[in-house]
Amino acid sequence: VQLVFVGGRSPAFGLLLVGVFALTVGDVVWAFGEIGRLDFAPHVVDAPFLIVPSAISVAMMHPSASHVVRPIRDEPRVRSTSRSLVVSSALIVPPVLLVLPGRITPMTVLLSIGLCATSALRVAHAMSRDDRSRAELMYRAAHDDLTDLPSRSLLIDQIDRVLHTSDGPLSLLFIDLDHFKNVNDLMGHHAGDELLVRVSERLVATVRARDLVARISGDEFVVLAEGLDESSGIALADRIRRAVGEPFALTGGEVFCTASIGVSTARAGDDVTPATLIREADTAMYESKSTRNETTVFDQSMQDRSTRRMEIERLLRHQTEAPNLTTWFQPIVDTERGCVAGFEALLRWEALGAEISPAEFIPIAEDSGMIVAIGAFVLDEACRQAAWWRANIDHADDLYVSVNVSARQIASSDIVDTVASCLQRHGLAPSALWLEITESVMTEDTAVTAAAMTGLRLLGVRLALDDFGTGYSSLSGLQYLPVSRLKIDRQFVAGLGSDTSNDKLVRCITAVAASFDLDVVAEGVETREQLAALHELGCTQIQGFLFSRPVPADEVPAIHARLDRRQARQHRHRRHTRRPTATP
Ligand code: C2E
Ligand code: CA
Ligand code: CA
């Protein structure tokens, strides 16, 4: 009976059933003959036994036999009408046997009870298997395969339940691992998976038994802590950061990991949806990300910033198709030679009715990857201008342009080709182009960036480390990265002359530059005092509002003429008096 239900409709299977049926009939007839209840001629008894091997061997030789041996993909349906019919008719047999006169013997009663019990058991078993597989399916849909933690849908259900049924506060912790991508990239996906599993175990071990830990994507986890108010939520977040901060002994080696956490809170009965609570915790987490390994509690100003960030990102996306981004230029003056040495290209963008600072929109463009297209645009514009200056401005044949390039661009595969084709398109000598890279490139994948930087250097383009001293630079980077210049960040220049610790810092940077044989540009120079202090320290390449603010491209010739004349005059004067007293 079971076979009838699992089988397909192929001829081979039909023949197989015929064989099995014949075997059953033959056995029953033979058994009755043995106990003397039936008396058949031997050839009648033998007939079924002849059919058995014939049917089976024909079945196996039939082409459709391949269907019979193929594994069954779908589970047979446990409850079907035909199956129910068979089961119930089997159940009718014992009562019928019992009512037939003269058939009631202790044996038939026992057999009948046995048959009923087996059938009932079989049905119960089938039904519970059905329920089990349905439960299993629901469990899998609500849990993450890798870590076995609840997934987003279950989390949302649970938040909803807590909001509606409990009274008291609740905290939601959004946890994102810092630099998780590095583990994946450097040690492989197996190590990444292993780390996620270990992190999830630590999370579960750190929270209280009644808290829910969910994994909602890649390296993002959410903890739902019922009954915890804001301060307890923060305490829990800090405990989690400490737990995650302990080293992980993975199969591939020891790994250190930190987490950025955002906390949002609500009280049961608040008019807030689970999705909003998750989004708020996510927004707070994003604020933690800027410093990493932090806990931040959500407040409304974050929501405003996040909305603005999304708005800027949306507008920028339009920009990369039809750019109304413009490139402005700020002179870099060589006070020793008495001339304008070059211009730094700086992006300007007007949107939302105001000028938006590149310090605000560049990081957004970097996060979303749009910086690669925007960077190519700036590069093209800067090279075009530089080629024009060199051809059309007096005393400008060695003027250079200095273009900011973000780490993300350096890591993109075709930066060397982009720069080479840009130089070629505008007929610009490689020596007329400097690229400014913030020192954060040193924390990125060093092999890739070092290769790209070497490729650029081989083109003849020179590289400067921007904002030197503000980031995570290691001095060792200076040893293997082909850079030719350090730019002293304006935060160090700002305190010069008034703040002695800044004097020491700048002195230190110029000393580092000298020992690595690099030149130095000081940026953000606004006052004569700062200029004098820089001259004192031997720094003569100056950029800042003292000489000029960034200007649109069409004002470059005039700025160049003004500064060059003055510097030339100063230069002559200085040569005359032999005392360096350059002023703008
Ligand atoms: P940065 O590379 O350090 O650029 C120097 C910044 O200092 C510019 O700000 C410039 O206007 C400002 N500055 C120059 N002299 C003075 C001064 O004397 N005083 C003061 N207070 N500020 C001065 P800006 O144009 O707002 O650019 C901000 C940052 O945005 C830049 O910092 C750079 O990191 C980034 N950026 C600008 N344009 C681009 C670009 O095309 N590509 C990339 N990747 N980044 C860019
Ligand atoms: Ca710069
Ligand atoms: Ca800078």
Side-chain angles (χ1 to χ4, degrees), residues 73-103:
R73 198 59 56 65
D74 309 312
E75 275 271 297
R77 283 187 49 210
V78 180
R79 269 175 281 178
S80 67
T81 344
S82 39
R83 185 183 288 258
S84 315
L85 272 176
V86 171
V87 171
S88 37
S89 52
L91 286 174
I92 291 175
V93 175
V96 169
L97 274 179
L98 291 177
V99 292
L100 283 182
R103 291 289 182 191

Side-chain angles (χ1 to χ4, degrees), residues 247-312:
F248 288 91
L250 303 186
T251 345
E254 196 167 66
V255 168
F256 287 87
C257 186
T258 54
S260 300
I261 304 184
V263 181
S264 64
T265 56
R267 295 195 71 81
D270 275 1
D271 184 22
V272 54
T273 63
T276 309
L277 265 184
I278 297 177
R279 198 195 57 227
E280 289 179 354
D282 187 3
T283 305
M285 185 282 294
Y286 188 89
E287 300 269 327
S288 294
K289 262 292 162 208
S290 53
T291 43
R292 303 196 193 280
N293 196 10
E294 277 272 358
T295 303
T296 310
V297 180
F298 175 81
D299 71 53
Q300 192 52 42
S301 70
M302 285 173 199
Q303 189 58 55
D304 301 342
R305 275 199 294 282
S306 157
T307 312
R308 181 171 164 90
R309 219 164 30 231
M310 267 150 40
E311 180 68 2
I312 288 181

Side-chain angles (χ1 to χ4, degrees), residues 436 466-467 487 489 523:
E436 301 188 6
D466 208 350
D467 308 337
K487 292 193 80 171
D489 191 69
E523 59 182 12

Side-chain angles (χ1 to χ4, degrees), residues 30-109:
W30 180 79
F32 275 93
E34 279 297 281
I35 56 172
R37 292 289 180 101
L38 282 173
D39 197 13
F40 286 120
H43 59 270
V44 175
V45 182
D46 285 346
F49 292 116
L50 276 175
I51 296 172
V52 178
S54 323
I56 292 180
S57 40
V58 173
M60 289 304 102
M61 282 188 292
H62 195 275
S64 65
S66 61
H67 288 278
V68 179
V69 294
R70 193 178 297 156
I72 301 164
R73 198 59 56 65
D74 309 312
E75 275 271 297
R77 283 187 49 210
V78 180
R79 269 175 281 178
S80 67
T81 344
S82 39
R83 185 183 288 258
S84 315
L85 272 176
V86 171
V87 171
S88 37
S89 52
L91 286 174
I92 291 175
V93 175
V96 169
L97 274 179
L98 291 177
V99 292
L100 283 182
R103 291 289 182 191
I104 306 177
T105 62
M107 195 54 159
T108 47
V109 171

Side-chain angles (χ1 to χ4, degrees), residues 410 441 445-457 463 480-482:
I410 293 287
V441 290
D445 187 347
T446 43
V448 174
T449 49
M453 288 169 77
T454 306
L456 290 167
R457 188 68 195 96
L463 304 170
Y480 63 84
L481 295 177

Side-chain angles (χ1 to χ4, degrees), residues 193-513:
D193 284 355
E194 195 182 348
L195 180 62
L196 288 174
V197 173
R198 307 293 288 281
V199 167
S200 69
E201 288 163 2
R202 273 196 203 170
L203 290 179
V204 172
T206 310
V207 301
R208 305 165 306 165
R210 57 195 282 226
D211 297 337
L212 179 93
V213 181
R215 175 173 174 231
I216 62 169
S217 75
D219 60 342
E220 294 175 337
F221 299 87
V222 170
V223 173
L224 166 63
E226 192 180 338
L228 292 196
D229 61 6
E230 185 178 309
S231 60
S232 322
I234 296 174
L236 176 62
D238 291 341
R239 268 206 310 286
I240 287 177
R241 283 198 298 109
R242 272 197 300 280
V244 173
E246 296 286 318
F248 288 91
L250 303 186
T251 345
E254 196 167 66
V255 168
F256 287 87
C257 186
T258 54
S260 300
I261 304 184
V263 181
S264 64
T265 56
R267 295 195 71 81
D270 275 1
D271 184 22
V272 54
T273 63
T276 309
L277 265 184
I278 297 177
R279 198 195 57 227
E280 289 179 354
D282 187 3
T283 305
M285 185 282 294
Y286 188 89
E287 300 269 327
S288 294
K289 262 292 162 208
S290 53
T291 43
R292 303 196 193 280
N293 196 10
E294 277 272 358
T295 303
T296 310
V297 180
F298 175 81
D299 71 53
Q300 192 52 42
S301 70
M302 285 173 199
Q303 189 58 55
D304 301 342
R305 275 199 294 282
S306 157
T307 312
R308 181 171 164 90
R309 219 164 30 231
M310 267 150 40
E311 180 68 2
I312 288 181
E313 183 174 337
R314 190 182 63 78
L315 289 170
L316 267 184
R317 253 178 229 291
H318 282 285
Q319 291 312 305
T320 41
E321 284 153 24
N324 78 359
L325 295 159
T326 49
T327 313
W328 287 33
F329 297 91
Q330 185 181 34
I332 299 167
V333 176
D334 185 332
T335 54
E336 192 174 49
R337 284 198 299 136
C339 63
V340 177
F343 284 85
E344 175 174 0
L346 292 161
L347 269 173
R348 289 294 174 265
W349 183 39
E350 209 161 307
L352 298 168
E355 180 165 292
I356 298 182
S357 159
E360 182 174 12
F361 73 79
I362 294 285
I364 297 173
E366 284 174 344
D367 280 352
S368 59
M370 287 182 286
I371 191 65
V372 176
I374 294 176
F377 161 76
V378 177
L379 198 64
D380 186 76
E381 180 62 11
C383 288
R384 192 166 69 84
Q385 292 295 339
W388 189 88
W389 302 333
R390 286 189 154 207
N392 296 287
I393 300 181
D394 289 341
H395 314 298
D397 7 310
D398 59 353
L399 201 62
Y400 63 77
V401 70
S402 199
V403 179
N404 293 287
V405 174
S406 74
R408 184 83 186 252
Q409 280 171 275
I410 293 287
S412 77
S413 55
D414 53 359
I415 180 73
V416 180
D417 291 344
T418 309
V419 171
S421 68
C422 196
L423 290 172
Q424 199 179 27
R425 194 160 52 244
H426 300 291
L428 191 68
S431 61
L433 181 63
W434 280 84
L435 297 179
E436 301 188 6
I437 301 164
T438 56
E439 51 182 358
S440 66
V441 290
M442 293 191 192
T443 61
E444 304 284 318
D445 187 347
T446 43
V448 174
T449 49
M453 288 169 77
T454 306
L456 290 167
R457 188 68 195 96
L458 287 175
L459 281 182
V461 172
R462 282 165 297 173
L463 304 170
L465 272 188
D466 208 350
D467 308 337
F468 189 76
T470 57
Y472 316 82
S473 61
S474 61
L475 286 177
S476 66
L478 293 177
Q479 217 169 356
Y480 63 84
L481 295 177
V483 292
S484 315
R485 164 177 290 176
L486 301 184
K487 292 193 80 171
I488 303 177
D489 191 69
R490 68 168 186 266
Q491 80 184 57
F492 302 133
V493 172
L496 272 186
S498 57
D499 181 342
T500 49
S501 62
N502 268 348
D503 281 16
K504 283 185 195 142
L505 262 171
V506 173
R507 194 186 302 280
C508 186
I509 294 173
T510 49
V512 167

